[in-house]
Amino acid sequence: MSQAKAEPQEMQEVLYDVSDHVATITLNAPDRMNTISATMLNQLTERLKEADADPEVRCVILTGAGRAFCAGLDLRAQTQGGGLSIGSSGGVTSTSLDLKNTPPTVLQEMETPTICALNGGAAGYGMDTALGCDIRIMAKSAKLAAAFCKRGLVPESGGTWYLPRLIGWSRAAELIFTGRTLSADESVAWGLASEVVANEELMPRARAIAAEIAGNAPLAVRAAKRMMRMGLNEPFPEHVHHVYLQLLPLMRTEDVKEGMTAYMEKREPQFKGK
């Protein structure tokens, strides 16, 4: 078991822990319902990058401390001038966004599978962050709040890209334009989450799914995620060709030999990621 050691504990707005090939990343500002600050954004980016670069990490669970997953931007800091600085730095207006260091882009580029364990409400930026994960499991008390237009904003962190792909144009438009809040059961019915569990069962269930993923061949899992992501934006013939090219190096790995041997011997495989 390991923990990130960048900042003193009292300064960590994002906690990091690795155990049994699973990294758990926890938004850690429960006193303000894990609303997003510049510090939290920076630490979340670093933890996500750390997990994706660690060959011992085969799955990531993202969750929140306290009663909320993430209630969006820290509006108090924003209205008082101490929040996120969007589009400017040192009085100079920027014409581009540093995509390499923003959590939504980092999440989208990660090859390690991600599970969002929604322990409570996810609003605005928090909802977009949850949508950026591969799998969403929701506690019974959790909600998804697409309140952007009610705050004079648009889904700024990936929502306008994810929602039409996840639930189709009509439902995405209804959700974004109305700024509606969905309960956990409604989120599953709309196709935005996999399942709802009792609050106390959330982390055990997320860890159980993560353990299943971590038990498979990590190179194959990462390749499968890579192919799924590429398939969102390419025609079928080109995609099949890319899958074939991805299959060739996998067939030469130790893991594929172990997987086939274990199947023949009727035992659980022991994958090494090689």
Side-chain angles (χ1 to χ4, degrees):
M1 184 177 294
S2 65
Q3 291 186 331
K5 51 187 184 212
E7 304 89 0
Q9 185 68 23
E10 63 272 12
M11 296 286 289
Q12 290 186 15
E13 293 196 6
V14 178
L15 303 180
Y16 184 84
D17 178 80
V18 178
S19 180
D20 298 324
H21 297 295
V22 176
T24 301
I25 298 175
T26 306
L27 304 181
N28 186 44
D31 56 319
R32 62 171 198 262
M33 299 179 68
N34 298 319
T35 50
I36 295 292
S37 66
T39 298
M40 180 180 284
L41 278 183
N42 292 335
Q43 292 180 7
L44 179 56
T45 296
E46 291 306 311
R47 299 294 82 79
L48 290 171
K49 287 182 174 181
E50 180 178 353
D52 201 38
D54 187 347
E56 291 301 309
V57 173
R58 300 181 183 182
C59 189
V60 173
I61 297 173
L62 178 61
T63 192
R67 61 190 181 92
F69 170 67
C70 174
L73 295 178
D74 187 347
L75 295 181
R76 180 176 299 179
Q78 288 297 127
T79 56
Q80 294 176 355
L84 300 179
S85 177
I86 300 175
S88 64
S89 177
V92 178
T93 299
S94 174
T95 58
S96 63
L97 181 66
D98 181 9
L99 295 177
K100 301 187 297 299
N101 294 299
T102 60
T105 308
V106 172
L107 263 176
Q108 171 64 14
E109 292 297 319
M110 285 179 68
E111 295 195 339
T112 308
T114 54
I115 299 171
C116 187
L118 284 146
N119 57 298
Y125 199 106
M127 177 175 168
D128 278 0
T129 301
L131 296 178
C133 293
D134 299 311
I135 299 168
R136 284 164 294 285
I137 306 296
M138 298 183 71
K140 188 69 174 176
S141 63
K143 297 178 180 180
L144 294 177
F148 305 94
C149 289
K150 288 186 175 182
R151 308 289 182 262
L153 300 169
V154 297
E156 79 284 357
S157 312
T160 48
W161 192 89
Y162 286 116
L163 285 168
R165 287 168 168 79
L166 289 170
I167 59 178
W169 185 276
S170 180
R171 282 206 150 179
E174 181 180 349
L175 187 59
I176 293 172
F177 299 166
T178 64
R180 188 172 301 164
T181 295
L182 301 180
S183 69
D185 289 327
E186 288 174 323
S187 298
V188 171
W190 280 51
L192 290 172
S194 297
E195 61 182 294
V196 180
V197 298
N199 288 14
E200 64 274 13
E201 292 298 319
L202 178 66
M203 290 309 294
R205 179 61 179 147
R207 291 189 183 103
I209 296 173
E212 282 190 77
I213 294 170
N216 288 332
L219 296 178
V221 172
R222 290 168 70 94
K225 179 172 178 178
R226 190 181 309 125
M227 292 297 98
M228 288 172 67
R229 189 168 58 232
M230 290 176 65
L232 289 172
N233 299 299
E234 62 184 3
F236 184 77
E238 285 84 348
H239 183 67
V240 171
H241 184 69
H242 288 146
V243 170
Y244 175 71
L245 294 177
Q246 181 65 81
L247 189 63
L248 295 178
L250 286 175
M251 291 297 293
R252 296 195 294 268
T253 63
E254 294 180 22
D255 278 355
V256 78
K257 296 176 184 176
E258 168 63 10
M260 294 180 180
T261 302
Y263 176 77
M264 298 282 289
E265 296 177 352
K266 295 180 169 51
R267 62 174 175 80
E268 291 296 319
Q270 302 297 317
F271 295 117
K272 299 179 181 177
K274 297 181 180 179

